Amino acid sequence: MSELVIMAPNSDEQPARLPRLLSGIQPTSDSYHLGNYLGAVKQWVSLQSSYEAFYCVVDLHALTLDLPAPDVLRERTRVSVAQLLAAGLDPQQCTLFLQSHVPEHTRLSWVLECMTGYGEAARMTQFKDKASRGGAEHHSVGLLTYPVLQAADILVYEADAVPVGEDQRQHLELTRTLAQRFNSRYGNTFTVPDAVIPKATAKILDLQDPSKKMSKSLGDAGTINLLDDASSLTKKIKRAVTDTDTAVRFDPEAKPGVSNLLTILGALTDRPVHDVAGDFDGQGYGALKSAVADATVAFAEPFAKRTNDLLADPAELDRILADGADRARAVASVTLAAAYERIGFLSPTEARR
Ligand code: TYM
C-alpha cells in the first residue's frame, strides 16, 4: 500500500491539510460480498482517521448496466449505507454521502467526457467485459462513460489517494490521465491521485471459478454475501473449488482456490497468509474450509445484526446522508467553480450583470 504523509502547506497562507481520500461503491445488490469488504471497505475503515476521507455510494453508476425498479434502487441504496456504517465507517470521522446528492460530480463529468477519446473509453477492460455480456444493442452510453464519471467523483475532491481493489487500477490510470490533460490545457487545477490497492486482498477470487474475481455477475454459488445466514455461508465455503492435490499451501499460481481461502482466512483474522497456511500442516482441505467458514460467520453474523439495527432507523440514515452531502458539496463546489472558471464559462454572477 502506498504510504502518504500529511502534506506540506502549499503557500504561506494555507494551513497544512490532512491528505484527502475518496472512494465509491455501487448499490447494485442486496448485500456486499467479501471481495468488496476485503478489497476496499476494510481499508476505508482503517484509513478514515488518518485522512480527510470522502466515501460515496455511487447510485448514478448503479444505472449503467440496467435500470433497477425505483423501490429496488432506494432499498439497495439504504442497505448499502447501512452496511458501510456496520463495517465501521464513522460519520464523525469521514464524510459518507450519495453521489446523486452532489450535482458537481455530473457537472464535472461532462467536461471530462469532452476531453476523453471515444476509443480511449471503449478500450477500458471493464467496459469491454460488461458490454460483451449484453451485446452492443443492450449497453448504454452510460456504461461507456462510467469511468469518466468515476474520474469526476475523484477529481472534484482533489483526492490524493483512492483505496480500491485491483480491478479499478485501469480506471485510476484514466483518472490520472484526465487530471493531467486538464491541468496542461487549463493550468494546474486537479490533484493527480494515487490508487491505494491492498497487497494481500486486492483480488478476492470466485469460490467456484478461482481464475476470476469474486463478483455477483458470476453467479451466487461463488460469492460470499456478507448478509447471508450462517448455514448458507458455510455451505458455499465447503463447496469451494480446490484442486486434486491435498496439501494446504499458499501458491496462487498452482493452487488458486486453496490460496484464495488462505487469503480470506488471513484477512479476516488479521494474520499473514503464510502463518495461517502453517496452521494446516498435515491437515486436509476440510480443516481449512471449516476454519474459513468459522471466521466468515464470526464476521458476518454481527455485521448483519448491525446492518439490520441501522436499517431500523431510516431517518437517522437520511440525516447522516444529508449531513454528508452538505460537507461534500462544500468541497466539490469550490473545485468545480475553479475548473469552470479556467475553462472559460462565465460565472452565473457575471452573466447576470
Ligand atoms: P464496485 O461497487 O464494483 O466495487 C466496490 C469496490 O470493491 C472492490 N472489489 C473487489 N476487491 C477485491 N476483490 C474482489 N473480488 C472485488 N470486487 C470488487 C472494487 O475494486 C471497488 O474498490 N468503479 C467502482 C465504483 C466507483 C469508484 C468511484 C471507486 C465509482 N466512483 C470513485 C473509487 C473512486 C467500483 O468498482 O465499484
Side-chain angles (χ1 to χ4, degrees):
M1 219 158 80
S2 52
E3 292 281 324
L4 279 161
V5 288
I6 295 180
M7 289 164 74
N10 295 329
S11 75
D12 290 347
E13 299 96 62
Q14 282 182 313
R17 64 165 169 85
L18 280 176
R20 219 175 253 163
L21 198 79
L22 177 124
S23 201
I25 191 162
Q26 300 187 71
T28 43
S29 82
D30 299 324
S31 169
Y32 285 137
H33 59 66
L34 204 55
N36 297 132
Y37 177 68
L38 296 178
V41 177
K42 192 165 185 249
Q43 277 61 249
W44 298 11
V45 175
S46 64
L47 296 170
Q48 66 183 334
S49 55
S50 40
Y51 288 77
E52 185 186 358
F54 293 85
Y55 297 126
C56 71
V57 172
V58 292
D59 48 358
L60 300 171
H61 277 116
L63 308 189
T64 48
L65 270 186
D66 54 26
L67 298 175
D71 54 341
V72 170
L73 180 59
R74 272 189 284 274
E75 178 62 16
R76 287 180 173 172
T77 303
R78 285 226 169 79
V79 175
S80 295
V81 173
Q83 288 179 90
L84 294 176
L85 294 167
L89 290 190
D90 173 1
Q92 306 298 322
Q93 295 197 62
C94 68
T95 298
L96 175 61
F97 65 102
L98 302 184
Q99 188 187 34
S100 65
H101 285 180
V102 183
E104 284 76 9
H105 294 223
T106 43
R107 297 184 67 203
L108 179 59
S109 184
W110 172 255
V111 168
L112 298 179
E113 279 173 32
C114 296
M115 304 178 71
T116 306
Y118 180 86
E120 200 173 25
R123 274 195 298 276
M124 293 287 119
T125 317
Q126 285 218 334
F127 169 71
K128 288 196 288 188
D129 282 356
K130 290 180 182 173
S132 68
R133 275 182 235 143
E137 285 313 307
H138 293 103
H139 62 258
S140 64
V141 174
L143 188 63
L144 179 70
T145 57
Y146 178 120
V148 185
L149 177 58
Q150 178 167 353
D153 296 339
I154 298 165
L155 300 182
V156 85
Y157 295 93
E158 297 188 73
D160 302 287
V162 185
V164 281
E166 176 62 37
D167 60 346
Q168 296 304 302
R169 192 184 287 280
Q170 195 185 33
H171 289 175
L172 259 294
E173 274 311 311
L174 178 70
T175 303
R176 291 169 58 85
T177 302
L178 291 175
Q180 282 156 346
R181 198 172 287 164
F182 188 103
N183 289 349
S184 60
R185 173 77 174 83
Y186 294 112
N188 214 8
T189 307
F190 295 122
T191 303
V192 180
D194 286 316
V196 181
I197 297 178
K199 270 206 193 91
T201 55
K203 188 173 174 187
I204 301 296
L205 305 175
D206 187 84
L207 297 185
Q208 289 302 315
D209 181 357
S211 69
K212 303 218 167 71
K213 69 165 186 180
M214 184 177 286
S215 159
K216 77 179 177 75
S217 63
L218 282 185
D220 201 51
T223 308
I224 302 179
N225 292 315
L226 299 178
L227 297 179
D228 279 357
D229 61 45
S231 94
S232 50
L233 286 170
T234 304
K235 254 187 236 143
K236 269 188 201 174
I237 292 165
K238 297 244 160 129
R239 287 186 191 141
V241 165
T242 46
D243 51 50
T244 49
D245 183 16
T246 51
V248 175
R249 192 160 39 84
F250 185 72
D251 181 347
E253 290 293 313
K255 301 171 79 69
V258 172
S259 302
N260 189 43
L261 292 174
L262 287 167
T263 298
I264 291 172
L265 187 54
L268 286 175
T269 55
D270 284 317
R271 292 176 62 207
V273 72
H274 290 286
D275 287 5
V276 172
D279 293 352
F280 297 95
D281 277 350
Q283 300 185 61
Y285 295 158
L288 171 63
K289 287 179 173 178
S290 293
V292 174
D294 289 348
T296 304
V297 170
F299 173 77
E301 267 188 344
F303 173 83
K305 160 119 187 37
R306 282 195 299 278
T307 301
N308 287 327
D309 290 348
L310 288 153
L311 284 169
D313 189 355
E316 174 61 4
L317 294 182
D318 289 347
R319 194 198 58 71
I320 291 170
L321 292 176
D323 183 51
D326 287 346
R327 277 150 55 190
R329 283 203 83 178
V331 174
S333 59
V334 173
T335 318
L336 185 80
Y340 268 30
E341 204 262 323
R342 284 180 192 160
I343 291 165
F345 292 140
L346 293 183
S347 80
T349 47
E350 272 173 294
R352 248 185 248 119
R353 263 189 232 131

